[in-house]
Amino acid sequence: MSFRRGVVRQSKFRHVFAQAWKAEHCIDDVRVSRVTWDTGLCAVNPKFIAVIIEAGGGGSFLVVPISKSGRIDQACPTVCGHAAPVLDIQWSPHDDNIIASASEDCTVKVWQIPDGGLTSPMTEPIVNLEGHSKRVGILAWHPTAFNILLTAGCDNVICVWNVGTGELVYHLSDAHPDLIYSVGWNKDGSAICTVCKDKALRVIDPRRGTVLKVKEKVHDGTRPMRAVFLSDGKILTTGFSRMSERQMALWDPKDLSEPMAVQEMDTSNGVLLPFYDPDTNMVYLCGKGDCTIRYFEVTDESPYVHFLSLHSSKEPQRGAGFLSKRGVDVNKCEIARFYKLHERKVEPISMTVPRKSDLFQGDLYPDTAGSEPALLADEWIAGQDAPPLLVSLSGGYSAPPSKHRDTLRSKPKLASQDSGTGATPPSATSGSAAKETEEEVPQPRVATRETDGNSERPKREEELLNELLAEMKALRAVVLAQSQRIELLERQLARIEDGDV
């Protein structure tokens, strides 16, 4: 009688283990929001942790440095500019100081958090976006284009904004007949996937406003669903079966007739929130009210979705935040980190691959998306697509200052508004002034710098010309957005005149 050993699937993530941080490293006395909205209630980046909290007579969220631990004083300043509860918050992937918030007051606001955190309550956003007629519960920043933000509300409308100008650039009002549960961008931001209360999965081109693919009844249950694009273009969904069992399914947009894989979990009520890591191709499932976090690896081999393990604890989670890969500790082979929300506590949970070597483990950390955008907003609006710009995590990661970051601070001004030459935009003026200031600082070989002043003049003129061209491109984008806005308003006016509203 012979026994044949089963073939064990090879994967470096088979032994990933989760470990909660010690109590002294948690954040205590955080009054986590009790809002009945299926969102994580938390957003994390390499600089800050943001948590939606309880607030009387309005909506607010807490922002503290990621290194913060211990008790939060009740007098700690918050971001409190909304007139109704906050439903969702998301950090910009291209600026770790910029965060967007969506609220029941039908508005979306964009905030600039100072380095080091808040020193006083923040009530004035840098941008206020008003385009929804009902509460707004979904936010999604474009993964590669700077200052492009997608919002979805209970009015069944998706809006795409240019945050740098505050303009609504695309308005998708006819794609969904019912409440939108989830919206996610694909890798290069050329398409979005959505799931809706009508149980359908849609793939949409937001710039053309066209539905590219539809799959009816992705999950048979009536409870809310979620969908995320994977890096290879496949789509992963979570939902409920007809018997109220929680499910996860993998779909190929090229053929949506049948799912590639379906995994059934349990019969809990909490909506499964999927957190996807494109670098490791791992998916973490975190349910509100659950005491567990399940994690899976998605591969090209059948059955495609492989269960790895789960992290269990005694306390149920109210929500969770997922740290971007730029913030993990590569020296400890940490491949992911969650921030689990308890009723009054934020608890970090590290996902680690055990390794004996202290050297940088390159196979665990392929180059990951950095903070530099691949495109400007007007380039994406004009039809360009680009994959994320990647950075190495070897030796840790520190974000460089973005050369495009000033475009968020104020709207472009017309050249005629400036005094003096009348042709130099404010950014160019300040830039040339900064260069002249730098040249006035004593440097070695000052005599050589003075004699070469005439030869540097063409170089400065070329820089000014490049800045003028960039300003003109930004103005063209504003004109395009304004014309689309006028067209939208004219259609709404025609509907009112025809008695359709």
Side-chain angles (χ1 to χ4, degrees):
M1 188 173 181
S2 62
F3 292 90
R4 187 177 164 188
R5 294 184 61 185
V7 178
V8 178
R9 189 182 68 90
Q10 295 297 314
S11 170
K12 52 181 167 282
F13 303 114
R14 279 178 54 226
H15 302 294
V16 170
F17 72 96
Q19 186 169 25
W21 291 21
K22 294 180 179 178
E24 58 264 29
H25 299 303
C26 297
I27 304 175
D28 298 308
D29 276 0
V30 179
R31 296 171 294 119
V32 177
S33 173
R34 296 180 180 275
V35 66
T36 56
W37 187 256
D38 292 315
T39 183
L41 302 178
C42 179
V44 193
N45 69 17
K47 278 188 179 180
F48 299 105
I49 304 168
V51 181
I52 302 173
I53 59 173
E54 282 290 293
S60 63
F61 58 95
L62 177 74
V63 178
V64 294
I66 197 167
S67 57
K68 172 69 178 174
S69 61
R71 181 176 173 274
I72 295 290
D73 194 302
Q74 295 305 306
C76 182
T78 61
V79 181
C80 50
H82 282 286
V86 177
L87 300 179
D88 195 13
I89 47 177
Q90 295 292 332
W91 291 102
S92 166
H94 304 127
D95 190 330
D96 288 339
N97 294 70
I98 299 297
I99 187 169
S101 59
S103 168
E104 287 188 6
D105 64 10
C106 308
T107 69
V108 174
K109 300 180 189 295
V110 181
W111 313 83
Q112 181 183 355
I113 308 299
D115 286 327
L118 301 177
T119 55
S120 60
M122 182 173 284
T123 58
E124 289 299 320
I126 53 173
V127 182
N128 194 46
L129 306 175
E130 297 180 358
H132 290 279
S133 59
K134 293 185 179 179
R135 61 182 179 168
V136 189
I138 297 173
L139 297 169
W141 289 94
H142 193 285
T144 63
F146 188 54
N147 281 345
I148 295 294
L149 175 65
L150 180 148
T151 64
C154 294
D155 50 6
N156 311 335
V157 169
I158 289 177
C159 294
V160 181
W161 308 84
N162 181 351
V163 175
T165 61
E167 298 297 328
L168 176 64
V169 289
Y170 300 109
H171 185 269
L172 285 68
S173 58
D174 302 324
H176 300 89
D178 212 328
L179 179 66
I180 302 167
Y181 285 143
S182 167
V183 181
W185 294 95
N186 66 351
K187 185 176 181 179
D188 64 0
S190 60
I192 57 175
C193 66
T194 70
V195 282
C196 175
K197 198 172 181 178
D198 65 357
K199 304 181 185 179
L201 167 68
R202 292 172 175 84
V203 179
I204 299 172
D205 181 340
R207 285 175 294 204
R208 291 191 295 166
T210 54
V211 178
L212 306 176
K213 301 272 186 177
V214 180
K215 170 60 181 175
E216 306 289 345
K217 286 197 175 181
V218 179
H219 297 278
D220 290 327
T222 57
R223 303 270 297 142
M225 301 182 292
R226 290 290 182 274
V228 290
F229 261 115
L230 306 187
S231 57
D232 61 359
K234 296 183 180 69
I235 299 172
L236 185 134
T237 62
T238 64
F240 292 79
S241 71
R242 188 179 285 105
M243 303 302 292
S244 295
E245 288 181 310
R246 294 196 294 189
Q247 294 178 324
M248 174 176 62
L250 183 67
W251 303 85
D252 185 349
K254 297 174 185 174
D255 181 12
L256 290 173
S257 58
E258 292 292 333
M260 296 176 63
V262 177
Q263 288 242 3
E264 295 193 342
M265 314 287 174
D266 51 33
T267 54
S268 295
N269 291 326
V271 176
L272 285 170
L273 305 178
F275 297 92
Y276 174 62
D277 180 358
D279 300 334
T280 60
N281 232 28
M282 287 177 61
V283 176
Y284 303 85
L285 298 186
C286 185
K288 272 190 152 183
D290 287 7
C291 298
T292 60
I293 299 174
R294 296 175 173 84
Y295 36 106
F296 302 80
E297 184 179 4
V298 183
T299 69
D300 294 330
E301 307 167 9
S302 180
Y304 306 110
V305 180
H306 308 273
F307 175 73
L308 295 175
S309 186
L310 59 83
H311 167 72
S312 297
S313 58
K314 295 178 181 179
E315 296 291 326
Q317 54 227 10
R318 296 280 295 277
F322 189 61
L323 177 64
S324 67
K325 187 58 68 74
R326 294 183 289 117
V328 300
D329 188 345
V330 298
N331 298 317
K332 295 181 179 177
C333 294
E334 181 185 46
I335 60 167
R337 189 188 307 165
F338 278 89
Y339 285 80
K340 174 182 173 179
L341 302 187
H342 298 249
E343 190 170 350
R344 293 185 70 90
K345 183 172 79 170
V346 182
E347 177 187 42
I349 300 172
S350 290
M351 304 289 177
T352 308
V353 177
R355 292 284 172 94
K356 293 180 180 179
S357 173
D358 292 333
L359 300 175
F360 175 72
Q361 305 294 306
D363 62 321
L364 298 182
Y365 301 103
D367 289 355
T368 190
S371 60
E372 279 294 311
L375 296 171
L376 295 178
D378 55 311
E379 292 173 330
W380 180 78
I381 293 168
Q384 294 186 43
D385 294 314
L389 299 180
L390 304 181
V391 295
S392 171
L393 292 178
S394 177
Y397 176 78
S398 57
S402 172
K403 58 190 175 185
H404 305 306
R405 212 150 280 170
D406 288 341
T407 59
L408 184 61
R409 306 297 182 248
S410 60
K411 296 181 182 179
K413 295 180 180 178
L414 295 174
S416 61
Q417 291 176 333
D418 296 322
S419 57
T421 61
T424 307
S427 57
T429 306
S430 59
S432 60
K435 293 183 184 71
E436 290 169 5
T437 305
E438 288 173 6
E439 290 172 4
E440 289 170 5
V441 177
Q443 300 281 347
R445 301 193 183 99
V446 174
T448 307
R449 177 70 60 99
E450 289 174 356
T451 56
D452 290 347
N454 291 333
S455 65
E456 289 186 3
R457 185 175 177 183
K459 182 180 176 182
R460 287 201 299 271
E461 289 177 351
E462 183 180 351
E463 289 172 350
L464 288 174
L465 178 61
N466 289 335
E467 288 172 347
L468 273 171
L469 291 172
E471 191 79 14
M472 288 169 64
K473 286 180 70 176
L475 284 170
R476 286 196 191 99
V478 173
V479 172
L480 176 64
Q482 293 283 16
S483 64
Q484 291 174 338
R485 177 67 175 161
I486 290 169
E487 184 181 347
L488 172 67
L489 292 173
E490 285 175 343
R491 287 203 302 268
Q492 291 177 344
L493 181 61
R495 289 172 59 193
I496 292 170
E497 290 174 344
D498 293 341
D500 293 340
V501 179

